[in-house]
Amino acid sequence: MTEKPPLDSNEDRAWLSEGQSETQLTTGQGPDGVETGDADRPAWDSKIQYVLAQVGFSVGLGNVWRFPYLCHQNGGGAFMLLYVFLLIIVGVPLFFMELAAGQSIRQGSIGVWKHISPKLAGIGYSSCMVCFYVALYYNVIIAWSLFYLGNSFQYPLPWEHCPIDVTTNDTAVKECAGSSPTTYFWFRKALNITNSIKESGELNPIMTGCLLAAWAIVSLAMIKGIKSSAKVMYFSSVFPYVVLFIFLIRGLMLDGAMEGITFMFYPKLEIWGSVQVWRQAATQVFFALGLGYGSVIAYSSYNPVHNNCHRDALMVSGINFMTSVLASLVVFVVLGFRAKNIALRCVAKNLGFLSLISSDESKQHLFGPGWPWINMTDPSSVSLSEYREWYSHHSSTIGLNITDCSLEEEMNKGVEGTGLAFIAFTEVMALFPASPFWSTLFFLMLLNLGLSTMFGTMQGILTPLMDNFSLLGRHRTLLTVSSCALGFLIGMLFTQRSGNYFVTMFDDYSATLPLVIVVIFETISVAWVYGTDRFLDDIEVMLKWRPPVVYKYLWKYVCLLSMIGLLAASLLRMVFKRPTYTAWNQDTASEMTLEYPGWALGMIIMLILFASLPVPIGYIYYTLKNPKAGNTEEGGGQEMHRELYTKCSSTEQLDSHHRVPTEEEEAHPRTAFLPLGNENYQLLGQEEEDDDDDERDTGV
């Protein structure tokens, strides 16, 4: 990896400056037609602060409860190799593209794409809409974490045992007895869930209070913009890694940990032939890096212009992947321990049935000549391998009540999302000594993972709005508080008894298709509208070295075609497989898969349309408003008349107005994607611009 050239003293001071980077941006026209500069734009206090913010946003709950599940379901090590391949050829180039665009233009998502072409401003508005969708339901997950965190300060933990049925006063509640204590606590005590999305139910007052607390935390942390949220990042981005390493060390000491790790990494290369696996891997790469949200662009817009964003792209992508691997190790050692415990309980239960056989003759017929190895009074003395070997020889002669007790079968029951965090993990932590400590640690980790991603998501909404509307920019605090208040009011949809089903709906459908569409148009904007050569020229000005030419072909062809393929696969899946959700049935104490009713399907379609329509609407609006704009365009980003500058030597500062441009300079004027710096620039005459309008080149 090419290292960044040594920084001069001006840039060294840039990280500590409140507003400007080394390159002072030229004054331009603001959103309201007023001349605005960049002098009052916030900046990161240090590089580490920026890196923690980007890592905190990209590393979220999906790394802990989505990636391990996909790895588990899709061939273990083979899926990891596929994921790394797609990360290198699609994820890193697109991530680098967003970082470079935000850093060079120093605007949020709306301003960046409007800078390339006013017709493309709708891309930024779509990003804001998707960020708002995600913020609505993501903060509900934070509220759930707060609820469990509050319940962790008890011993024993409230989900360790089933509650006693008040009607009989001696047996467990039927719903709990038919499932498990952790499952019962999640569905009945935490969510008090209905049997389907059709039954809305009243508001859950405890969860509504937790949601209010979650939005209050976000509001307070972001009330001063990146200056306040960045300070919180020092804890919220680092603490989850501390907890993951603690859980990994503790987990490796558990019985069944190595079985879990073996199950995780065992490769099944045949999965590479499945289109569905490729779709899932590409989707995970896409969401793991936070592409399309506008948050990556917003965070990088506060950087000095000469920051090495290429190194940042490689570093953050690498950290993200390694975090996913670390989280997978933790998850699988814990699930291996859980599966081993379930299998051993199964052995003890079956030996209990077998102990009812009274005669030695029957036992010898059933167990063979060596039957005394089974100690009926101490089932723990029988190992799982011994039991399974016996079962393989005598399964045909025993009743249906006796089962195989397979550890692999338990491991094959994939657990993801809320089921992993709030059911499987809570079950394991209840088995640990000092269980309240481990529970508190785990839900503090979830809380911080959620908050760091939430800060980035909200920044993807607030930064573009403040950059594009000067009125909102002048009232940052009011905008932040109002946005959080609106999020809480709409978020009460998720705190009614059927709210979990709406969280699933938003998670599955509100962001996936719109974000893919957004990234497709982002790639088209840079690669085909503005031009990859011109974009690489601007990056060369920023980095002071030119990125490899392979990025040109990755942006123009590989990334674009991959995103179009992902969009097509997602659309076809929705068309040919009617959307479903998993519901909890209180009577049977089990989960069941249901189809969304008609009104819910309509809601899904409206969510997708509302997030996707700003792109075509923005294009049509500008075209109708400026019908002649297309005739005056010459390359991407030239709809707006901009003054052309040529760089002057530092020795010509005092007499630059006497300087006559050379023939080469007259033949190659250039309108930069990169805002102009504090080197000296000389305004070219309008006559020269018009004469050479057809001869513009993309050279630096």
Side-chain angles (χ1 to χ4, degrees):
M1 183 172 64
T2 307
E3 292 296 325
K4 181 180 177 184
L7 302 179
D8 57 30
S9 58
N10 288 335
E11 186 175 352
D12 290 335
R13 290 192 297 269
W15 285 110
L16 301 175
S17 68
E18 183 69 23
Q20 282 283 40
S21 67
E22 173 197 341
T23 303
Q24 305 297 312
L25 305 185
T26 55
T27 301
Q29 295 295 321
D32 303 324
V34 180
E35 283 196 351
T36 58
D38 194 56
D40 61 344
R41 187 171 189 80
W44 300 105
D45 288 338
S46 64
K47 181 63 176 280
I48 188 65
Q49 196 178 75
Y50 163 69
V51 171
L52 286 176
Q54 286 286 19
V55 169
F57 169 67
S58 65
V59 174
L61 296 171
N63 296 75
V64 174
W65 67 31
R66 181 65 179 165
F67 182 87
Y69 170 78
L70 291 175
C71 183
H72 168 245
Q73 293 293 96
N74 296 309
F79 179 83
M80 281 194 178
L81 292 175
L82 179 59
Y83 180 87
V84 171
F85 172 71
L86 292 175
L87 181 68
I88 292 172
I89 69 166
V90 177
V92 172
L94 291 175
F95 192 61
F96 177 40
M97 182 185 77
E98 290 199 357
L99 287 178
Q103 181 173 305
S104 62
I105 299 176
R106 294 175 66 78
Q107 291 279 310
S109 56
I110 297 174
V112 163
W113 308 116
K114 182 185 284 187
H115 184 94
I116 293 180
S117 170
K119 292 180 180 179
L120 302 175
I123 298 175
Y125 288 103
S126 284
S127 292
C128 288
M129 184 64 72
V130 173
C131 278
F132 187 63
Y133 286 164
V134 173
L136 287 176
Y137 76 83
Y138 214 86
N139 228 18
V140 177
I141 300 174
I142 295 176
W144 293 341
S145 300
L146 283 172
F147 174 79
Y148 269 81
L149 180 62
N151 279 279
S152 297
F153 297 99
Q154 311 179 37
Y155 187 80
L157 292 171
W159 51 80
E160 281 194 28
H161 307 288
C162 285
I164 300 300
D165 192 337
V166 293
T167 58
T168 61
N169 207 33
D170 61 350
T171 59
V173 174
K174 180 182 177 183
E175 184 181 6
C176 184
S179 53
S180 70
T182 53
T183 304
Y184 173 81
F185 187 86
W186 166 241
F187 285 115
R188 191 55 48 213
K189 294 297 183 180
L191 302 180
N192 194 20
I193 201 166
T194 57
N195 288 338
S196 74
I197 197 172
K198 297 177 184 178
E199 307 170 28
S200 61
E202 65 279 0
L203 284 176
N204 184 329
I206 297 177
M207 280 303 170
T208 304
C210 291
L211 181 64
L212 178 61
W215 277 110
I217 293 171
V218 172
S219 179
L220 291 172
M222 301 198 64
I223 203 162
K224 298 291 186 182
I226 64 167
K227 291 301 175 186
S228 56
S229 64
K231 289 178 173 58
V232 180
M233 288 287 183
Y234 282 114
F235 180 78
S236 64
S237 296
V238 175
F239 181 73
Y241 288 96
V242 176
V243 177
L244 284 174
F245 276 111
I246 291 174
F247 266 98
L248 179 61
I249 295 169
R250 178 68 182 89
L252 289 173
M253 301 176 185
L254 299 173
D255 186 23
M258 296 315 298
E259 287 90 336
I261 292 176
T262 303
F263 193 89
M264 168 188 166
F265 283 108
Y266 184 78
K268 301 173 184 175
L269 298 179
E270 63 272 13
I271 61 101
W272 287 358
S274 170
V275 176
Q276 177 72 358
V277 173
W278 281 79
R279 184 191 69 80
Q280 290 184 331
T283 303
Q284 181 62 21
V285 168
F286 187 79
F287 284 107
L289 294 176
L291 300 172
Y293 286 89
S295 305
V296 172
I297 293 174
Y299 275 158
S300 64
S301 72
Y302 299 116
N303 273 338
V305 173
H306 291 300
N307 171 60
N308 193 337
C309 56
H310 182 260
R311 183 171 57 197
D312 294 342
L314 297 176
M315 178 170 56
V316 174
S317 301
I319 292 173
N320 189 293
F321 172 67
M322 295 309 297
T323 305
S324 296
V325 174
L326 173 62
S328 298
L329 285 171
V330 173
V331 167
F332 275 89
V333 297
V334 169
L335 291 183
F337 170 67
R338 175 175 176 264
K340 189 74 171 285
N341 269 273
I342 293 174
L344 289 175
R345 287 202 300 268
C346 171
V347 171
K349 179 182 176 182
N350 289 344
L351 291 181
F353 284 128
L354 295 173
S355 66
L356 300 177
I357 301 174
S358 57
S359 69
D360 289 348
E361 183 180 347
S362 299
K363 291 178 179 177
Q364 183 161 335
H365 171 73
L366 185 59
F367 303 132
W371 71 266
W373 63 264
I374 297 183
N375 185 347
M376 299 299 182
T377 60
D378 185 18
S380 62
S381 64
V382 181
S383 70
L384 186 60
S385 57
E386 288 175 332
Y387 174 84
R388 294 202 65 199
E389 182 181 358
W390 166 82
Y391 183 87
S392 65
H393 290 96
H394 299 88
S395 57
S396 59
T397 61
I398 57 179
L400 296 177
N401 289 333
I402 308 301
T403 55
D404 185 18
C405 299
S406 169
L407 185 145
E408 290 77 15
E409 186 177 327
E410 287 299 328
M411 288 296 298
N412 277 324
K413 296 176 181 177
V415 186
E416 66 167 328
T418 54
L420 175 65
F422 299 108
I423 298 177
F425 255 80
T426 52
E427 181 180 329
V428 172
M429 287 182 295
L431 301 174
F432 286 178
S435 54
F437 167 77
W438 294 104
S439 180
T440 302
L441 209 58
F442 177 73
F443 288 109
L444 265 178
M445 180 191 73
L446 287 190
L447 178 64
N448 283 278
L449 279 173
L451 284 174
S452 58
T453 301
M454 190 67 188
F455 295 152
T457 304
M458 290 299 293
Q459 206 69 56
I461 302 170
L462 301 176
T463 297
L465 294 178
M466 290 187 293
D467 287 344
N468 211 56
F469 301 100
S470 58
L471 178 64
L472 298 178
R474 290 194 298 269
H475 299 87
R476 179 193 305 271
T477 301
L478 181 60
L479 175 64
T480 302
V481 174
S482 300
S483 300
C484 292
L486 179 62
F488 167 70
L489 292 175
I490 300 176
M492 286 196 288
L493 167 71
F494 306 107
T495 61
Q496 56 182 335
R497 291 182 59 198
S498 60
N500 185 48
Y501 304 135
F502 288 97
V503 170
T504 302
M505 176 196 292
F506 271 66
D507 188 34
D508 289 343
Y509 301 105
S510 70
T512 307
L513 288 179
L515 277 181
V516 174
I517 292 171
V518 164
V519 175
I520 287 173
F521 279 100
E522 285 182 0
T523 311
I524 291 173
S525 302
V526 170
W528 295 96
V529 177
Y530 186 74
T532 49
D533 287 323
R534 184 177 296 171
F535 190 49
L536 287 171
D537 289 343
D538 295 326
I539 295 175
E540 183 175 4
V541 174
M542 287 197 301
L543 304 185
K544 300 177 182 176
W545 58 271
R546 193 175 184 84
V549 71
V550 67
Y551 281 110
K552 172 181 177 178
Y553 301 102
L554 289 174
W555 287 328
K556 291 187 73 171
Y557 305 110
V558 177
C559 295
L560 185 57
L561 293 176
S562 299
M563 290 295 101
I564 292 173
L566 177 59
L567 177 63
S570 301
L571 284 172
L572 289 173
R573 186 170 181 269
M574 285 189 65
V575 170
F576 291 108
K577 183 181 178 183
R578 183 183 173 97
T580 59
Y581 67 100
T582 302
W584 176 257
N585 188 292
Q586 183 175 2
D587 298 326
T588 61
S590 62
E591 291 182 324
M592 54 186 179
T593 301
L594 301 177
E595 292 184 346
Y596 282 106
W599 61 266
L601 290 176
M603 186 174 176
I604 291 172
I605 293 171
M606 294 303 293
L607 288 172
I608 295 172
L609 287 178
F610 280 146
S612 305
L613 282 179
V615 177
I617 288 175
Y619 188 91
I620 295 170
Y621 172 77
Y622 185 81
T623 302
L624 294 177
K625 185 179 178 182
N626 303 275
K628 296 183 180 180
N631 298 327
T632 60
E633 293 178 17
E634 189 72 36
Q638 309 310 318
E639 292 91 336
M640 301 173 67
H641 294 291
R642 298 185 178 95
E643 296 178 316
L644 301 181
Y645 293 82
T646 56
K647 188 182 296 185
C648 302
S649 167
S650 59
T651 61
E652 299 170 334
Q653 296 182 46
L654 299 178
D655 60 346
S656 62
H657 59 284
H658 295 300
R659 184 177 181 276
V660 179
T662 65
E663 290 183 7
E664 182 180 357
E665 287 171 336
E666 289 183 359
H668 302 287
R670 179 174 184 273
T671 302
F673 181 73
L674 178 69
L676 303 174
N678 65 350
E679 298 113 322
N680 299 287
Y681 289 86
Q682 178 174 334
L683 180 63
L684 288 180
Q686 185 63 40
E687 183 177 353
E688 292 174 316
E689 177 187 345
D690 294 337
D691 289 343
D692 300 308
D693 188 54
D694 295 331
E695 301 179 282
R696 296 185 181 176
D697 188 65
T698 59
V700 177

